[in-house]
Amino acid sequence: MTQMAEHTRAVHTPVSPADPAAPDAYVLRCVDVRDETADVKTFVFEPEGEEGFGWVAGQFLTLSQEIDGAGASRCYSISSAPSGSRRLEITVKRIAGGSFSNWLHENLRPGRAISAHGPVGGFTPTELQLTQPFELDYEARAQRQRYLFLAAGSGITPIMAILRTLLVKGNPIDAVLVNSLHGPDDVIFRRDLEAFSVRRGLRVELVSSTLVTADQRRGTKLPAGIGISPGRLDTELLRSLVPDLVDREIFSCGPAGYLDGVRTMLDAAGCATDRRHEESFDIGVHQDAASAGIPSTNKAGAFTVTFARSGRSIDCPAGSFVLDAALADGVPVPSSCGLGMCGTCKSGLLEGAVEMNHAGGIRPREIAEGKILLCCSRPTEDLVIDA
């Protein structure tokens, strides 16, 4: 991920009411909903208006919606392949206690619209960052690309977009997907995985943490033609499934604990770090920090941050991000990925200055208008923020 450093001071630039909508802000209208499992749905959207919607496989959107009278935003990977169609899909697992995922499952139906920001993200194989299927020269196209995709839970969604795109583009591939799940009923994208199992150059392996019985193997609960291993993924099992894993470009996506385990396995297997890519949207990182009661430092070595709308003021320790300090002090600030990418915590800087290290979640025009991303901005002076 490329971080862009900005030293930003409050700028008061009048914005014309006729200023066109930013190209990364959309209204998406739901046109279809599909059940993937008992607690996972795929939502199909079309952007409103005549303008198309462009993305590359592996990117994500930030969806925003008012829920119970308050604004809320969450990041979701696009699970469909860019194919020239105006349609795109996200696939969402319903989380116990998750207000946004529950709202989507209970309320989002064909005909209903939702706000979206993006797409952003760099979880994309190099060959898919090209705008045309065959921009590679003949020799490069003939060279089979070798991948290992590791997914757990909803981590399959950006990887599904990548696999679909690799197959659509038609370049030769040599890919293995190792998908970890709880049991046979939790297989997301069952039809796609069954279709992948008969495609040359792509092998699918499932790892089930619950015991898979002989009846389940013979029955219809397991995708046809796919290998399944009981237990949990570890270095020994990974090596047995993918003996040449050190020679592959590796893309991993899943919960933070899963990714921690994957890093340990890949280190033990001797996989080069420059050939590894990972994606995680554990939106609870900041919320967990707040609920853990991280103490604010005393005034010494801290800057005062005032939120103009609520009138709340907090101390932000020197070197700390504004968002972390706000949530630690119980100030509710919209946030999602926390990586300087999604733009959810974008706010106006009315007074003061910050050092901002972002990864594309804010555009130069917005910075010139005095906006900052709270998740990746450190105060260099006392601040007043329009939030």
Side-chain angles (χ1 to χ4, degrees):
M1 182 192 312
T2 301
Q3 295 285 329
M4 289 167 275
E6 303 275 356
H7 292 270
T8 304
R9 178 173 291 278
V11 178
H12 300 278
T13 304
V15 180
S16 167
D19 191 43
D24 56 355
Y26 295 86
V27 174
L28 302 178
R29 189 163 297 278
C30 181
V31 297
D32 193 18
V33 181
R34 299 194 306 268
D35 289 330
E36 299 287 350
T37 71
D39 58 358
V40 177
K41 292 181 183 291
T42 289
F43 299 93
V44 185
F45 297 97
E46 285 188 356
E48 289 194 341
E50 297 300 320
E51 186 178 358
F53 188 99
W55 75 94
V56 295
Q59 289 189 307
F60 65 93
L61 294 171
T62 301
L63 301 186
S64 299
Q65 176 64 38
E66 185 174 297
I67 299 175
D68 296 330
S73 299
R74 292 293 183 270
C75 296
Y76 294 103
S77 294
I78 301 172
S79 53
S80 52
S83 60
S85 169
R86 284 170 52 81
R87 294 192 171 190
L88 69 146
E89 302 176 1
I90 65 167
T91 302
V92 180
K93 179 179 176 64
R94 185 170 189 149
I95 305 298
S99 60
F100 209 101
S101 65
N102 279 275
W103 186 92
L104 291 173
H105 275 243
E106 295 169 5
N107 297 280
L108 191 57
R109 299 289 183 268
R112 189 154 191 173
I114 194 167
S115 298
H117 175 92
V120 292
F123 188 65
T124 304
T126 301
E127 65 175 304
L128 299 188
Q129 295 173 14
L130 303 173
T131 57
Q132 299 296 326
F134 295 111
E135 285 186 356
L136 298 173
D137 59 32
Y138 178 81
E139 181 178 352
R141 291 202 308 270
Q143 184 69 39
R144 185 180 296 265
Q145 301 296 316
R146 306 177 72 190
Y147 297 107
L148 168 59
F149 298 99
L150 301 171
S154 298
I156 188 65
T157 54
I159 288 174
M160 178 55 62
I162 293 171
L163 291 173
R164 286 169 168 168
T165 307
L166 286 170
L167 294 175
V168 166
K169 282 183 173 282
N171 295 348
I173 63 170
D174 178 351
V176 181
L177 166 64
V178 179
N179 186 15
S180 296
L181 42 85
H182 291 298
D185 292 332
D186 299 309
V187 180
I188 306 174
F189 305 121
R190 178 183 300 269
R191 290 184 181 178
D192 290 89
L193 296 183
E194 288 178 338
F196 289 168
S197 69
V198 298
R199 297 294 292 266
R200 298 183 66 181
L202 175 56
R203 176 164 57 93
V204 178
E205 298 284 348
L206 302 181
V207 179
S208 173
S209 59
T210 60
L211 181 65
V212 179
T213 67
D215 287 341
Q216 287 173 327
R217 286 181 178 275
R218 290 192 296 268
T220 59
K221 285 191 174 183
L222 291 175
I226 294 177
I228 184 163
S229 302
R232 295 184 178 274
L233 190 65
D234 57 22
T235 307
E236 182 179 358
L237 177 56
L238 183 58
R239 278 176 167 154
S240 69
L241 294 174
V242 194
D244 62 347
L245 66 98
V246 296
D247 300 320
R248 295 178 178 269
E249 197 84 5
I250 302 171
F251 289 78
S252 310
C253 189
Y258 169 80
L259 291 178
D260 288 342
V262 164
R263 290 186 210 108
T264 300
M265 296 175 217
L266 298 181
D267 286 342
C271 297
T273 56
D274 62 354
R275 302 195 67 189
R276 306 187 208 170
H277 317 268
E278 65 178 45
E279 187 88 306
S280 176
F281 293 111
D282 272 4
I283 59 175
V285 170
H286 293 294
Q287 290 86 339
D288 290 345
S291 63
I294 297 175
S296 296
T297 62
N298 55 26
K299 183 64 180 177
F303 296 100
T304 298
V305 178
T306 301
F307 296 91
R309 296 184 198 175
S310 66
R312 294 279 303 275
S313 291
I314 64 169
D315 291 341
C316 181
S320 296
F321 295 122
V322 175
L323 178 62
D324 291 335
L327 293 176
D329 269 8
V331 178
V333 178
S335 62
S336 195
C337 78
L339 300 175
M341 298 173 67
C342 75
T344 306
C345 62
K346 194 179 302 174
S347 302
L349 177 60
L350 302 179
E351 296 180 16
V354 300
E355 179 183 359
M356 179 169 59
N357 292 280
H358 66 93
I362 189 169
R363 295 173 298 131
R365 178 173 68 83
E366 294 172 316
I367 295 172
E369 292 170 355
K371 291 184 171 60
I372 62 172
L373 294 174
L374 303 185
C375 70
C376 57
S377 293
R378 296 181 174 93
T380 57
E381 298 176 354
D382 291 344
L383 308 178
V384 177
I385 293 173
D386 184 19

